[in-house]
């Protein structure tokens, strides 16, 4: 697949696991065994996919030259690519339905099951998180997932709102339209580095609620930013 392709495949395969983990976390307070089974299955599948489609350079800590930096960056960009058409489409529909606010709300809603489910999978593998009650984990997942999704949704919503220009500024040719969309997408990819760093910080702050002695890894947040800038 190459690092770009493997990153995209990881994202596509992770989506059903994330949705399943989110549903399981919401179900666990009222149906403990059912919810736990859903989460456990999602964790197993996620770990298996992680081994099957493992990146050549898994962490910023393993970047030590230009080649490893390119491999790491390609993998990170590949992971993001499948979200681009989905987020732009939902933000566009939201814009048509409710203007700029609708674009933001729709983009945020698109990313919520992804981020919430991912956080549920993380908590399932964290012994300190498992010391919380199922209801507490569901609440934390909602808060962290919602905050991360609002951050992530700002980029496609902003791109759609910029594309929805007055009629006089609309490109007159197909080539001009394609160039405009490509330019907005490239801008979004560059801005995603900042958003990824902010998302990482939100996740780590969430961990402080059940592990107050755990330090925030600022290097990890900065790496999330720099990988895609």
């Amino acid at each position: 697949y190459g690092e770009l392709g493997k990153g995209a495949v990881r994202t596509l395969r992770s989506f059903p696991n994330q949705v399943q983990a989110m549903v399981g976390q919401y179900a666990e307070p009222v149906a403990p065994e059912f919810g736990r089974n859903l989460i456990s299955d999602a964790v197993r599948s996620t770990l298996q996919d992680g081994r099957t489609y493992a990146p050549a350079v898994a962490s910023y800590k393993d970047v030590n030259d230009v080649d490893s930096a390119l491999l790491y960056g390609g993998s990170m960009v590949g992971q993001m690519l499948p979200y681009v058409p989905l987020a732009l489409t939902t933000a566009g529909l939201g814009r048509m339905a409710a203007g700029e606010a609708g674009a933001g709300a729709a983009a945020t809603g698109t990313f919520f099951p992804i981020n919430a489910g991912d956080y549920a999978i993380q908590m399932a593998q964290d012994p300190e998180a498992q010391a919380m009650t199922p209801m507490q984990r569901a609440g934390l997942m909602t808060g962290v997932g919602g905050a991360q999704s609002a951050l992530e949704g700002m980029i496609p919503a902003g791109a759609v709102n910029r594309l929805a220009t007055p009629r006089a500024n609309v490109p007159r040719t197909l080539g001009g339209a394609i160039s405009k969309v490509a330019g907005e997408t490239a801008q979004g990819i560059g801005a995603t580095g900042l958003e990824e760093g902010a998302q990482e910080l939100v996740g780590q702050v969430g961990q402080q609620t059940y592990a107050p002695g755990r330090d925030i890894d600022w290097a990890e947040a900065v790496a999330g930013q720099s990988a895609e800038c």
Side-chain angles (χ1 to χ4, degrees), residues 51-70:
R51 289 189 292 267
T52 302
Y53 302 101
V57 181
S59 168
Y60 73 95
K61 297 174 184 176
D62 299 321
V63 174
N64 48 37
D65 56 27
V66 173
D67 287 343
S68 58
L70 289 174

Side-chain angles (χ1 to χ4, degrees), residues 117-217:
D118 193 56
Y119 206 70
I121 290 170
Q122 291 179 41
M123 288 193 296
Q125 301 173 80
D126 190 327
E128 290 180 282
Q130 291 305 298
M132 293 191 295
T133 67
M135 185 64 74
Q136 287 173 327
R137 286 194 295 274
L140 182 59
M141 176 189 74
T142 302
V144 171
Q148 290 179 328
S149 300
L151 287 166
E152 198 160 8
M154 290 171 63
I155 294 171
V160 165
N161 288 330
R162 287 192 298 272
L163 286 167
T165 52
R167 187 174 180 83
N169 295 329
V170 174
R172 298 180 181 276
T173 66
L174 177 60
I178 291 173
S179 296
K180 187 172 179 64
V181 172
E184 292 295 339
T185 301
Q187 270 191 301
I189 288 175
T192 297
L194 297 172
E195 165 265 315
E196 287 288 341
Q199 276 189 281
E200 175 62 30
L201 281 178
V202 168
Q204 291 192 41
V205 169
Q207 292 176 355
Q208 301 292 308
T209 63
Y210 61 81
R214 193 175 296 180
D215 293 333
I216 290 179
D217 187 346

Side-chain angles (χ1 to χ4, degrees), residues 23-115:
V23 172
Q25 190 60 78
Y26 280 132
E28 190 183 11
V30 293
E33 185 175 1
F34 174 71
R36 283 195 296 269
N37 286 340
L38 285 179
I39 297 169
S40 296
D41 287 346
V43 170
R44 280 195 294 270
S45 182
T46 297
L47 293 175
Q48 178 59 51
D49 287 342
R51 289 189 292 267
T52 302
Y53 302 101
V57 181
S59 168
Y60 73 95
K61 297 174 184 176
D62 299 321
V63 174
N64 48 37
D65 56 27
V66 173
D67 287 343
S68 58
L70 289 174
L71 289 171
Y72 182 64
S75 179
M76 294 295 99
V77 172
Q79 287 181 191
M80 185 191 67
L81 286 178
Y83 297 139
V84 172
L86 175 64
L88 289 176
T89 299
T90 55
L93 293 173
R95 165 90 188 195
M96 287 190 290
E100 292 188 6
T108 297
T110 299
F111 288 114
F112 181 75
I114 296 168
N115 290 311

